[in-house]
Amino acid sequence: MSSNAAIYRTSIAHVRRTPLRNAFTYRSYSWYVDVDALPALPRWLAPLARFSAADHLGDPDGTLRGNVERYLGTQAITLDGGRITMLASARVLGHVFNRRCSPARRRSWGRGP
C-alpha cells in the first residue's frame, strides 16, 4: 500500500424524522488518500479497495484530480497543481457507499444547484 494512504475508523450516524422516526449509528472506516498516489494493493487484495472517479465527484469518465479542479474552478479557486487529498470510502467487492445525490436532492437540502 502507498505510504500516502491511511485508514481512519469512523462512526456514521443516520437520523430519519419522517415518515417514521429512526436513528442509528454504525462503525465504519474511511481511506485518506492523495488522488495522485492512490493505494496500489497486491492483486489478490485489489477487490477490497479500489478508487474510481465514477464513485465520487464529477464526470465518471474523468479523473479524481480533474473533477476536483473543475469543481473548484466553478468556485473561482485555482490549485495551480497543488496536492489534493480526500477522505472517502473505497469500492469494496464491487460496492461503494459514498453518497452521491442528484442536483434536485441537493436543492431540497439547501446545498446549492
Side-chain angles (χ1 to χ4, degrees), residues 22-108:
N22 185 26
F24 58 89
T25 301
Y26 62 94
R27 291 183 292 191
S28 186
Y29 64 92
S30 295
W31 287 78
Y32 180 73
V33 297
D34 182 322
V35 300
D36 293 321
L38 295 172
L41 296 177
R43 185 182 187 120
W44 63 277
L45 281 176
L48 300 178
R50 184 172 66 86
F51 295 92
S52 169
D55 297 331
H56 304 284
L57 175 73
D59 178 3
D61 295 321
T63 64
L64 290 168
R65 171 173 274 286
N67 287 342
V68 170
E69 287 176 336
R70 272 188 292 286
Y71 172 75
L72 292 176
T74 69
Q75 306 300 308
I77 300 170
T78 304
L79 286 181
D80 292 327
R83 185 173 182 219
I84 299 173
T85 58
M86 74 174 181
L87 183 67
S89 295
R91 180 171 286 274
V92 177
L93 299 174
H95 299 280
V96 69
F97 300 99
N98 290 316
R99 181 175 200 117
R100 286 184 63 127
C101 61
S102 68
R105 178 69 129 190
R106 284 194 302 271
R107 278 193 298 278
S108 74

